[in-house]
Amino acid sequence: MDKFTNLKMEGRSYPSSGKGKSRKRKDSEIMHCAGCGAKVGSKVLEKVLHHIQQQTQRDDILIGINTPDDAAVVRVPTDKVMVQTIDYFPALVDDPYLLGKIATNHCLSDLFAMGATPQSALAIATIPYASSTQQENDLYQLLLGATEILNQAGAVLMGGHTTEGAELAFGLTCNGLAFSEKLLYNSGMQSGDVLILTKALGTGVLFAADMRLRAKGRWIESAIESMLISNQNAAKLLLEYGATACTDVTGFGLVGHLLEMVKASQVAVELEMEAISVLPGVAEILQQGIFSSLYPENLRISASIQNSEQVSTHVLYPLLFDPQTSGGLLAALPGESASACLQALQQEYSESRIIGRVLTKSEVSRGDSRIARTEVIFVRGI
């Protein structure tokens, strides 16, 4: 009973990142509070923000990170609309600088997929328990990576919120501007359109294997290199060549995000499995039966695949449901402009591929000789 009366918080250690390493603290008897008591100290924030240099200056940011007000203020031009999105996730790499860049690319992709131009962002960060010096370094590296990507996109970091926690995590609310008549939606696919995917698939299984110490270093390096590629220029080219619909491939996997487009457009799709670009090491990992923890949930939508019994034996079939971090753009374009668009994309996005075409529902319902081929997948609304 004495243990329930004289409570002690001794010998605690806290993981520093998603890799499970821990940091011992000299003041390990201190209990860390929740609520606003979990905020990172003001001195740490002050020092970090003093050293963060933003190259981009915008007249439409009225109150931002350099002004000690309670909220940011932006001006929206009368002839444009504001497009907003938010993403936040635990670190999949130990390096806060890389996490800042990867997460920012990931967050901005929603804007690019809709044809919007980034304007501003608010950050939310969870910094691992540590000394003030270590937290200052982690936060600085995190925001340095984020602002580098935002600067490249022409956007400004206006502020944000930081908390202490067991694991490093980061995300952003991103704002973009667009002309309403030029927005891209999920619902614009038409029969005869061609599907283009701008990046290779496989980040989910690769990092699942990395957590199990089953991934080779060069495989992870390739995945990180892919996640560091911005989708901004790809979006510009897709718009230039007349994209009819677009989305970014992220947590729900290729088929999950494609199904949203299929349902919204009231069409069906034929995918060429062999045409999909795959990151190095993915096939080897799938053969070992290693999948992302989100894979079982994503797999539930396999009912949308009309010939699932035939194609499920393909070695890369699970990749259709693999969650992607900072994945590529998936767009539908008119058949007559798709080849020229692909050629232009591959100048910067070498893994871009034409992976399928849009059909009417009746074409898929009838089926044909291709229905038995394991490399052809027919996706329709459930």
Side-chain angles (χ1 to χ4, degrees):
M1 293 299 296
D2 183 61
K3 291 181 179 179
F4 288 96
T5 304
N6 300 311
L7 301 178
K8 296 182 179 180
M9 302 293 290
E10 295 183 309
R12 295 181 68 185
S13 61
Y14 304 98
S16 63
S17 70
K19 295 287 188 176
K21 299 176 182 177
S22 62
R23 295 175 177 169
K24 291 284 186 179
R25 296 191 54 167
K26 292 180 181 179
D27 57 344
S28 58
E29 73 278 4
I30 297 175
M31 180 178 66
H32 292 275
C33 293
C36 264
K39 294 179 70 171
V40 171
S42 60
K43 287 294 183 183
V44 171
L45 282 172
E46 183 180 344
K47 289 180 179 180
V48 169
L49 296 180
H50 177 73
H51 289 97
I52 293 295
Q53 301 295 321
Q54 299 206 76
Q55 299 171 359
T56 302
Q57 301 294 325
R58 297 186 62 111
D59 295 334
D60 52 0
I61 308 299
L62 305 183
I63 296 178
I65 204 169
N66 297 320
T67 306
D69 279 285
D70 293 319
V73 179
V74 301
R75 178 185 290 115
V76 181
T78 56
D79 59 339
K80 291 185 178 181
V81 294
M82 176 72 77
V83 182
Q84 293 183 308
T85 184
I86 184 171
D87 265 301
Y88 172 84
F89 49 78
L92 73 172
V93 292
D94 283 332
D95 186 341
Y97 173 71
L98 282 180
L99 175 63
K101 299 185 79 168
I102 290 168
T104 306
N105 271 333
H106 181 93
C107 295
L108 288 173
S109 283
D110 283 333
L111 299 182
F112 300 143
M114 294 201 69
T117 300
Q119 180 219 40
S120 55
L122 294 169
I124 180 167
T126 300
I127 307 299
Y129 301 121
S131 67
S132 295
T133 301
Q134 183 61 56
Q135 287 188 332
E136 181 183 332
N137 180 68
D138 286 349
L139 183 58
Y140 173 72
Q141 294 296 329
L142 195 61
L143 295 184
L144 180 64
T147 53
E148 284 186 9
I149 298 299
L150 289 171
N151 285 335
Q152 292 171 15
V156 171
L157 180 65
M158 300 185 297
H161 184 74
T162 56
T163 62
E164 293 184 305
E167 294 186 350
L168 180 66
F170 188 63
L172 293 148
T173 295
C174 295
N175 305 311
L177 299 172
F179 293 104
S180 58
E181 66 274 13
K182 293 185 178 180
L183 284 173
L184 282 172
Y185 301 93
N186 285 347
S187 58
M189 292 198 300
Q190 302 173 21
S191 177
D193 282 354
V194 171
L195 291 175
I196 291 181
L197 179 63
T198 64
K199 287 189 183 182
L201 298 180
T203 59
V205 296
L206 283 167
F207 281 93
D210 188 45
M211 292 175 68
R212 295 167 174 79
L213 305 180
R214 303 282 288 275
K216 296 181 180 180
R218 64 177 181 272
W219 295 348
I220 299 302
E221 288 175 3
S222 294
I224 291 174
E225 183 180 345
S226 177
M227 291 188 293
L228 290 175
I229 298 173
S230 168
N231 284 320
Q232 186 166 23
N233 291 336
K236 291 178 181 177
L237 287 170
L238 292 169
L239 280 168
E240 180 183 336
Y241 283 90
T244 57
C246 188
T247 191
D248 61 330
V249 180
T250 52
F252 298 147
L254 176 62
V255 169
H257 291 284
L258 177 60
L259 185 59
E260 292 176 343
M261 300 173 76
V262 165
K263 287 181 175 180
S265 304
Q266 295 294 299
V267 293
V269 163
E270 173 190 278
L271 289 179
E272 290 282 348
M273 192 71 201
E274 301 297 329
I276 298 172
S277 186
V278 180
L279 288 166
V282 168
E284 291 91 328
I285 292 170
L286 290 177
Q287 288 173 345
Q288 296 177 48
I290 297 175
F291 309 106
S292 165
S293 58
L294 188 57
Y295 169 76
E297 185 64 28
N298 285 350
L299 187 61
R300 291 175 178 269
I301 59 173
S302 60
S304 66
I305 298 178
Q306 178 157 322
N307 58 333
S308 59
E309 290 186 8
Q310 292 90 344
V311 299
S312 61
T313 57
H314 195 289
V315 65
L316 294 179
Y317 178 76
L319 193 62
L320 299 175
F321 311 95
D322 186 51
Q324 305 301 293
T325 301
S326 188
L329 296 180
L330 175 65
L333 291 94
E336 58 270 18
S337 63
S339 294
C341 182
L342 180 65
Q343 186 175 0
L345 280 167
Q346 288 180 336
Q347 299 300 310
E348 183 175 351
Y349 302 88
S350 59
E351 299 301 323
S352 295
R353 300 287 188 273
I354 291 176
I355 64 168
R357 64 190 182 99
V358 181
L359 310 171
T360 63
K361 287 183 176 181
S362 59
E363 287 179 278
V364 172
S365 297
R366 290 195 304 269
D368 57 29
S369 60
R370 292 169 297 176
I371 206 82
R373 290 168 52 196
T374 59
E375 68 272 17
V376 179
I377 295 109
F378 291 96
V379 181
R380 54 175 174 77
I382 296 175

